[in-house]
């Protein structure tokens, strides 16, 4: 079975802190994605990557950056967390089409 | 970009059929997916349909696609309490999957 693991299920951070959300997949998938999920808004694409060291902006990249130094790992970085980044963050990976999701990381910014 | 719309809430009685609807804007979508999210969990793929198909049946699930109207529906027959979850429609565009807002299905015993 494909496994996508997100390092933290719950985080609480303060405004202005730097936040790292880590995601690891074990199926050698080329493609990895970060979405955020908010009630009534569904999932919105933040960034994605089709290869190591490659990244592309999604629909809402402002306030975020990403890093993909190894194929299996895709990190989402909030350089200076703000309260409007309080959300559920979902990582996903894919090979040809179907996305496999992690369990999510719920971030609260105070 | 792609817009995907779903109603936010649906309530049915156990044993009835549920129909969850979705409209989308990108006519070039090749695959259209349905995902299910149970409380506190990530999303799991339920089923999908290729754009050259009108219908796909998979046990209790039936997916109908009207390409002309860009309308997708998911029918769950004999709905059970275990089907209570949020259901997301997700057409595959050029870059990635675009998700609707999700429809919360509540099944009354």
């Amino acid at each position: 079975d494909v496994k996508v693991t997100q390092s933290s299920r719950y985080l609480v951070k303060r405004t202005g802190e730097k936040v790292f959300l880590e995601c690891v997949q074990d199926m050698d998938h080329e493609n990895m994605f970060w979405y955020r999920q908010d009630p009534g808004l569904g999932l919105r694409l933040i960034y994605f990557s089709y290869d190591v060291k490659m990244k592309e902006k999604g629909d809402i990249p402002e306030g975020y950056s990403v890093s993909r130094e190894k194929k299996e790992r895709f990190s989402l970085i909030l350089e200076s967390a703000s309260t409007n980044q309080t959300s559920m963050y979902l990582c996903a990976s894919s090979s040809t089409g179907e996305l496999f999701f992690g369990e999510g990381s719920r971030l609260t910014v105070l | 970009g792609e817009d995907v719309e779903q109603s936010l809430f649906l309530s049915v009685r156990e044993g009835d059929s549920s129909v969850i609807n979705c409209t989308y804007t990108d006519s070039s979508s090749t695959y259209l997916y349905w995902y299910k999210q149970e409380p506190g969990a990530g999303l799991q793929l339920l089923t999908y349909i290729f754009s050259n198909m009108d219908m796909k049946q998979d046990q209790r699930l039936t997916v109908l696609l009207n390409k002309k109207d860009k309308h997708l529906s998911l029918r769950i027959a004999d709905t059970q309490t275990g089907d209570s979850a949020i259901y997301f429609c997700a057409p595959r565009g050029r870059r990635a999957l675009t998700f609707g807002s999700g429809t919360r299905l509540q099944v009354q015993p």
Side-chain angles (χ1 to χ4, degrees), chain A residues 9 33 35 37 40-43 45 48 50 56-59 90 96-99 101-103, chain B residues 1 8 33 35 37 40-45 86 88 92 94-102:
Chain A
R9 290 296 307 272
F33 306 81
Y35 288 86
Q37 181 180 8
L41 297 178
L43 277 70
L45 182 63
F48 59 103
Y50 287 150
E56 282 202 37
K57 292 180 181 179
D59 298 318
L90 293 167
T96 55
E98 174 192 349
L99 294 187
F101 282 88
E103 295 283 296
Chain B
L8 290 179
Y33 298 85
Y35 280 83
Q37 185 181 36
L43 278 69
Q44 289 189 308
L45 180 69
I86 303 175
F88 291 92
R92 178 180 166 189
R94 283 184 296 275
R95 299 190 308 165
L97 271 60
T98 299
F99 287 80
S101 59

XYZ file of all heavy atoms in Angstrom, chain A residues 9 33 35 37 40-43 45 48 50 56-59 90 96-99 101-103, chain B residues 1 8 33 35 37 40-45 86 88 92 94-102:
368
model
N 0.642 15.715 13.231
C -0.813 15.762 13.070
C -1.376 17.090 13.559
O -2.326 17.613 12.972
C -1.486 14.630 13.843
C -1.272 13.239 13.286
C -1.873 13.049 11.890
N -3.264 13.415 11.769
C -4.291 12.597 12.005
N -4.075 11.366 12.419
N -5.536 13.005 11.834
N 2.333 17.047 -3.814
C 1.448 18.211 -3.754
C 1.210 18.632 -2.302
O 1.170 17.784 -1.409
C 0.071 17.857 -4.362
C 0.124 17.294 -5.751
C 0.418 15.957 -5.960
C -0.117 18.100 -6.849
C 0.478 15.423 -7.241
C -0.065 17.575 -8.136
C 0.227 16.234 -8.329
N -1.828 20.803 -0.356
C -3.119 21.480 -0.380
C -3.412 21.992 1.021
O -2.937 21.427 2.011
C -4.245 20.508 -0.750
C -4.293 20.046 -2.187
C -3.538 18.945 -2.615
C -5.117 20.670 -3.116
C -3.615 18.502 -3.934
C -5.198 20.230 -4.435
C -4.439 19.144 -4.832
O -4.526 18.701 -6.136
N -6.921 22.755 3.396
C -8.350 22.471 3.433
C -9.016 23.355 4.467
O -8.633 23.349 5.643
C -8.614 21.002 3.791
C -10.081 20.649 3.825
C -10.334 19.198 4.188
O -9.430 18.455 4.558
N -11.581 18.772 4.061
N -15.938 24.689 3.775
C -16.679 25.406 2.747
C -15.871 25.788 1.531
O -16.436 26.213 0.516
N -14.554 25.639 1.612
C -13.678 26.001 0.485
C -13.044 24.790 -0.176
O -12.385 24.914 -1.209
C -12.577 26.957 0.951
C -13.039 28.310 1.486
C -11.841 29.124 1.963
C -13.806 29.081 0.407
N -13.184 23.640 0.432
C -12.584 22.443 -0.134
C -11.071 22.465 -0.009
O -10.520 23.041 0.927
N -10.401 21.829 -0.951
C -8.946 21.792 -0.965
C -8.432 22.767 -2.010
O -8.905 22.783 -3.147
C -8.458 20.387 -1.338
C -8.385 19.348 -0.236
C -9.756 18.934 0.229
C -7.595 18.141 -0.727
N -4.872 24.182 -3.906
C -3.497 23.782 -4.191
C -2.534 24.904 -3.872
O -2.662 26.014 -4.399
C -3.390 23.379 -5.666
C -2.052 22.886 -6.158
C -1.652 21.595 -5.450
C -2.096 22.672 -7.673
N 3.173 22.391 -5.946
C 3.392 21.007 -6.318
C 4.764 20.852 -6.959
O 5.435 21.847 -7.290
C 2.278 20.480 -7.227
C 2.104 21.229 -8.521
C 2.575 20.710 -9.714
C 1.435 22.455 -8.553
C 2.388 21.386 -10.900
C 1.250 23.130 -9.752
C 1.727 22.600 -10.926
N 7.013 18.135 -9.685
C 7.043 16.988 -10.587
C 8.378 16.254 -10.571
O 8.550 15.237 -11.224
C 6.746 17.418 -12.019
C 5.311 17.785 -12.262
C 4.975 18.743 -13.218
C 4.278 17.188 -11.556
C 3.649 19.093 -13.446
C 2.968 17.531 -11.777
C 2.656 18.481 -12.721
O 1.356 18.820 -12.957
N 6.382 24.097 -8.542
C 5.518 25.011 -9.283
C 4.454 25.564 -8.347
O 3.957 24.844 -7.469
C 4.826 24.281 -10.436
C 5.722 24.067 -11.632
C 4.937 23.858 -12.912
O 3.887 24.508 -13.093
O 5.371 23.018 -13.722
N 4.107 26.812 -8.558
C 3.078 27.429 -7.739
C 1.710 26.872 -8.094
O 1.408 26.638 -9.265
C 3.084 28.947 -7.953
C 4.316 29.626 -7.416
C 4.263 31.123 -7.659
C 5.513 31.799 -7.129
N 5.499 33.257 -7.376
N 0.914 26.699 -7.049
C -0.474 26.318 -7.254
C -1.346 27.561 -7.288
O -0.923 28.610 -7.780
N -2.538 27.432 -6.736
C -3.496 28.534 -6.801
C -3.319 29.563 -5.682
O -3.711 30.713 -5.836
C -4.925 27.967 -6.754
C -5.199 27.063 -7.937
O -4.780 27.425 -9.058
O -5.812 25.996 -7.756
N -2.800 19.254 3.752
C -2.783 17.887 3.245
C -1.703 17.736 2.184
O -1.641 18.519 1.236
C -4.139 17.532 2.629
C -5.304 17.436 3.607
C -6.622 17.386 2.862
C -5.174 16.206 4.484
N 0.629 8.551 -11.861
C 0.012 8.830 -13.161
C -1.245 9.676 -13.074
O -1.645 10.268 -14.061
C -0.348 7.514 -13.864
O -1.175 6.737 -12.988
C 0.902 6.728 -14.223
N -1.893 9.726 -11.961
C -3.136 10.494 -11.917
C -3.748 10.534 -10.538
O -3.888 11.585 -9.935
N -4.122 9.365 -10.027
C -4.758 9.303 -8.711
C -3.820 9.865 -7.648
O -2.634 9.560 -7.631
C -5.087 7.849 -8.378
C -5.606 7.626 -6.988
C -5.642 6.163 -6.615
O -5.461 5.323 -7.514
O -5.843 5.868 -5.436
N -4.370 10.681 -6.743
C -3.587 11.211 -5.632
C -3.750 10.326 -4.411
O -4.848 9.857 -4.108
C -4.059 12.616 -5.269
C -3.846 13.735 -6.281
C -4.216 15.071 -5.665
C -2.425 13.761 -6.779
N -3.214 10.531 -0.339
C -3.102 11.589 0.650
C -2.537 11.092 1.977
O -2.763 9.950 2.376
C -4.489 12.197 0.925
C -4.941 13.150 -0.134
C -5.629 12.695 -1.243
C -4.676 14.503 -0.030
C -6.045 13.576 -2.235
C -5.094 15.395 -1.011
C -5.771 14.930 -2.114
N -1.863 12.010 2.665
C -1.524 11.798 4.053
C -2.720 12.091 4.941
O -3.780 12.489 4.463
N -2.521 11.911 6.245
C -3.613 12.103 7.203
C -3.892 13.572 7.487
O -4.914 13.901 8.075
C -3.282 11.399 8.520
C -3.188 9.887 8.397
C -4.563 9.259 8.313
O -5.326 9.350 9.272
O -4.883 8.673 7.254
N -8.568 29.476 -13.863
C -8.439 28.088 -13.511
C -9.775 27.398 -13.430
O -10.816 27.990 -13.659
N -23.104 21.827 -0.214
C -22.310 21.599 0.986
C -22.836 20.459 1.855
O -22.084 19.864 2.612
C -22.255 22.879 1.820
C -21.432 24.022 1.239
C -21.478 25.232 2.160
C -19.991 23.599 0.991
N -12.476 12.360 -10.525
C -12.367 11.503 -9.353
C -13.403 11.867 -8.302
O -13.819 13.028 -8.189
C -10.975 11.663 -8.721
C -9.829 11.247 -9.612
C -9.278 12.121 -10.543
C -9.279 9.972 -9.498
C -8.217 11.733 -11.354
C -8.213 9.584 -10.302
C -7.693 10.465 -11.219
O -6.649 10.067 -12.013
N -13.496 11.462 -4.131
C -12.783 11.117 -2.919
C -13.735 11.185 -1.731
O -14.689 11.956 -1.717
C -11.613 12.079 -2.676
C -10.386 11.774 -3.484
C -10.263 12.210 -4.797
C -9.336 11.054 -2.932
C -9.124 11.928 -5.538
C -8.192 10.771 -3.670
C -8.095 11.214 -4.964
O -6.968 10.922 -5.694
N -13.757 11.574 2.597
C -12.976 11.929 3.773
C -13.805 11.667 5.022
O -14.825 12.320 5.245
C -12.552 13.392 3.743
C -11.630 13.778 4.890
C -11.243 15.247 4.859
O -12.048 16.105 4.499
N -10.009 15.555 5.232
N -11.440 13.259 10.782
C -10.080 13.135 11.291
C -9.114 12.404 10.388
O -7.996 12.093 10.808
N -9.513 12.153 9.152
C -8.661 11.368 8.250
C -8.361 12.150 6.978
O -8.992 13.162 6.678
C -9.350 10.048 7.902
N -7.402 11.626 6.229
C -7.117 12.188 4.916
C -8.153 11.726 3.904
O -9.132 11.078 4.257
N -7.930 12.067 2.647
C -8.875 11.695 1.594
C -8.508 10.342 1.010
O -7.338 10.035 0.809
C -8.860 12.737 0.466
C -9.696 13.995 0.664
C -9.127 14.869 1.756
C -9.812 14.764 -0.646
N -9.545 9.561 0.718
C -9.330 8.264 0.072
C -10.104 8.220 -1.232
O -11.252 8.669 -1.296
C -9.817 7.139 0.985
C -8.937 6.925 2.199
C -9.332 5.676 2.951
O -10.486 5.498 3.294
N -8.368 4.802 3.187
N -9.475 7.664 -2.250
C -10.139 7.552 -3.543
C -11.297 6.569 -3.452
O -11.147 5.447 -2.982
C -9.158 7.066 -4.599
C -9.753 6.905 -6.002
C -10.098 8.275 -6.583
C -8.773 6.177 -6.917
N -17.411 13.340 4.156
C -17.410 14.416 3.164
C -16.941 13.822 1.848
O -15.934 13.093 1.807
C -16.486 15.570 3.591
C -16.894 16.117 4.947
C -16.522 16.687 2.541
C -15.959 17.190 5.484
N -15.720 14.548 -2.078
C -15.132 15.574 -2.940
C -15.114 15.099 -4.379
O -14.682 13.979 -4.677
C -13.691 15.877 -2.525
C -13.551 16.565 -1.206
C -13.382 15.835 -0.051
C -13.581 17.954 -1.137
C -13.239 16.471 1.168
C -13.440 18.597 0.079
C -13.267 17.854 1.230
N -9.465 16.181 -13.128
C -8.018 16.309 -13.354
C -7.780 17.285 -14.482
O -8.188 17.041 -15.625
C -7.421 14.947 -13.685
C -5.928 14.987 -13.980
C -5.439 13.610 -14.293
N -4.115 13.629 -14.885
C -3.545 12.554 -15.404
N -4.166 11.409 -15.395
N -2.340 12.636 -15.922
N -4.826 20.216 -16.275
C -3.484 20.105 -16.866
C -2.415 19.970 -15.801
O -1.404 19.306 -16.000
C -3.192 21.333 -17.731
C -3.882 21.320 -19.091
C -3.461 22.533 -19.903
N -3.889 23.775 -19.270
C -5.090 24.309 -19.428
N -5.985 23.699 -20.189
N -5.412 25.438 -18.834
N -2.623 20.635 -14.666
C -1.563 20.659 -13.658
C -1.786 19.650 -12.553
O -0.890 18.947 -12.134
C -1.454 22.055 -13.048
C -1.118 23.146 -14.049
C -0.798 24.441 -13.351
N -1.831 24.830 -12.411
C -1.657 25.755 -11.476
N -0.501 26.367 -11.367
N -2.643 26.063 -10.660
N -2.984 19.637 -12.020
C -3.256 18.820 -10.829
C -4.758 18.654 -10.712
O -5.520 19.169 -11.521
C -2.692 19.506 -9.579
N -5.169 17.918 -9.711
C -6.597 17.788 -9.447
C -7.111 19.072 -8.798
O -6.447 19.653 -7.937
C -6.865 16.614 -8.504
C -7.083 15.241 -9.135
C -5.884 14.791 -9.927
C -7.431 14.216 -8.078
N -8.293 19.514 -9.226
C -8.971 20.634 -8.588
C -10.155 20.088 -7.814
O -10.964 19.336 -8.369
C -9.456 21.640 -9.642
O -8.332 22.140 -10.363
C -10.162 22.809 -8.972
N -10.246 20.464 -6.560
C -11.277 19.900 -5.694
C -12.439 20.863 -5.497
O -12.247 22.074 -5.396
C -10.678 19.548 -4.325
C -9.794 18.343 -4.358
C -8.484 18.444 -4.797
C -10.276 17.106 -3.985
C -7.661 17.324 -4.853
C -9.470 15.981 -4.027
C -8.162 16.092 -4.466
N -13.637 20.294 -5.412
C -14.797 21.059 -5.009
C -14.767 21.304 -3.510
O -13.855 20.868 -2.807
N -15.797 21.991 -3.028
C -15.872 22.343 -1.599
C -16.157 21.129 -0.732
O -15.975 21.165 0.472
C -16.963 23.381 -1.384
O -18.209 22.863 -1.836
N -16.632 20.054 -1.358
C -16.990 18.873 -0.587
C -18.452 18.913 -0.173
O -18.985 19.974 0.170
